[in-house]
Amino acid sequence: MPTFSFDFNSKTAVVTATSGIGLAIARALHDAGARVICAGLPPQDPAALQGLDCRMLDVTQNDQVKALFGSLPRLDILINAAGINRRLAEHDPEVFERVVDVNLHGTMRCCQAAKPLLLASRGAVVNIASMLSFFGAAHAPGYAASKGGVAQFTKSLANAWAADGVRVNAIAPGYVETQLTQALWEDPARSSSIQSRIPLGRWAQPQDMTGPTLFLCSDAAAYVTGAILPVDGGYLAY
């Protein structure tokens, strides 16, 4: 009977975020022994990145993306966590385009730039999708469209890279208390309405995303690729 552990001592990981869900995943990978590079915009709380290799990255800039991955001698794990949400403003075509460029095109840019390294290590990719990958959002059409795209891109890349031993999966978070959702969880009426729909009865914390992500990066998930794993407290099952 095989045994598994979340031991990443020999691994190098890139996480494209410096806050929120991405930062929580980066810290969990670091605590599990990985060398972690946090690549994103300037952090709001630099102390939270202590022990991590923090680098500036705008995922909409192809030259920056290529330069980052071109500077690495090895890569085993890629976590695509860069994301923005402009809510109702996304009904403006220019805002819609910007959200899709960060959330979907940014994920694609990083995957393609990291491909040679991931092929060499037979590594793993975990993209951050969303429960809005599965249904629409009148209040955030660009975000929902981009996250639907992330889910389909994940499945497509999983098929394209499977023969080379690279696994590509995604987690689909539900309502998580981050800066991105602050306007919702600080509004008592809206927050209560959301929480009443969640079978587990609470909002998620960023740390709730770490276990499923580390599983998908680990040998325990050696036969898992192309999966979109909801981590939503049962919201989609309600």
Side-chain angles (χ1 to χ4, degrees), residues 29-30 38 41 46 48 78 139 170 197 235:
L29 284 166
H30 175 266
C38 270
L41 300 179
L78 172 61
H139 62 282
R197 161 74 189 266
Y235 190 94

Side-chain angles (χ1 to χ4, degrees), residues 36-97:
V36 180
I37 298 157
C38 270
L41 300 179
Q44 293 184 325
D45 182 10
L49 293 161
Q50 186 175 1
L52 307 176
D53 181 352
C54 185
R55 306 191 190 184
M56 297 302 100
L57 176 68
D58 181 344
V59 297
T60 69
Q61 301 301 307
N62 205 38
D63 289 347
Q64 290 186 30
V65 172
K66 288 181 176 180
L68 170 68
F69 291 101
S71 71
L72 302 179
R74 179 184 180 92
L75 181 65
D76 303 278
I77 296 166
L78 172 61
I79 310 294
N80 286 301
I84 60 173
N85 185 338
R86 297 294 181 260
R87 300 184 64 75
L88 288 172
E90 294 169 16
H91 286 278
D92 181 300
E94 291 185 0
V95 178
F96 185 102
E97 183 178 6

Side-chain angles (χ1 to χ4, degrees), residues 24-198:
I25 292 169
R27 292 239 64 97
L29 284 166
H30 175 266
D31 292 345
R35 179 204 172 197
V36 180
I37 298 157
C38 270
L41 300 179
Q44 293 184 325
D45 182 10
L49 293 161
Q50 186 175 1
L52 307 176
D53 181 352
C54 185
R55 306 191 190 184
M56 297 302 100
L57 176 68
D58 181 344
V59 297
T60 69
Q61 301 301 307
N62 205 38
D63 289 347
Q64 290 186 30
V65 172
K66 288 181 176 180
L68 170 68
F69 291 101
S71 71
L72 302 179
R74 179 184 180 92
L75 181 65
D76 303 278
I77 296 166
L78 172 61
I79 310 294
N80 286 301
I84 60 173
N85 185 338
R86 297 294 181 260
R87 300 184 64 75
L88 288 172
E90 294 169 16
H91 286 278
D92 181 300
E94 291 185 0
V95 178
F96 185 102
E97 183 178 6
R98 171 66 178 173
V99 171
V100 172
D101 197 21
V102 173
N103 298 357
L104 177 56
H105 298 170
T107 295
M108 191 273 185
R109 288 186 189 98
C110 290
C111 286
Q112 290 302 318
K115 181 179 179 181
L117 294 168
L118 292 167
L119 293 182
S121 66
R122 298 176 71 86
V125 178
V126 178
N127 298 322
I128 307 302
S130 169
M131 61 182 176
L132 294 182
S133 298
F134 301 97
F135 53 81
H139 62 282
Y143 187 82
S146 68
K147 292 301 185 177
V150 166
Q152 290 302 105
F153 177 65
T154 297
K155 296 175 185 179
S156 298
L157 208 60
N159 278 288
W161 289 3
D164 295 307
V166 178
R167 296 182 301 103
V168 185
N169 294 291
I171 64 166
Y175 283 100
V176 185
E177 287 191 11
T178 67
Q179 185 182 11
L180 207 65
T181 59
Q182 187 170 0
L184 294 177
W185 52 262
E186 284 190 340
D187 180 332
R190 185 73 176 112
S191 179
S192 177
S193 174
I194 290 168
Q195 188 165 299
S196 70
R197 161 74 189 266
I198 301 171

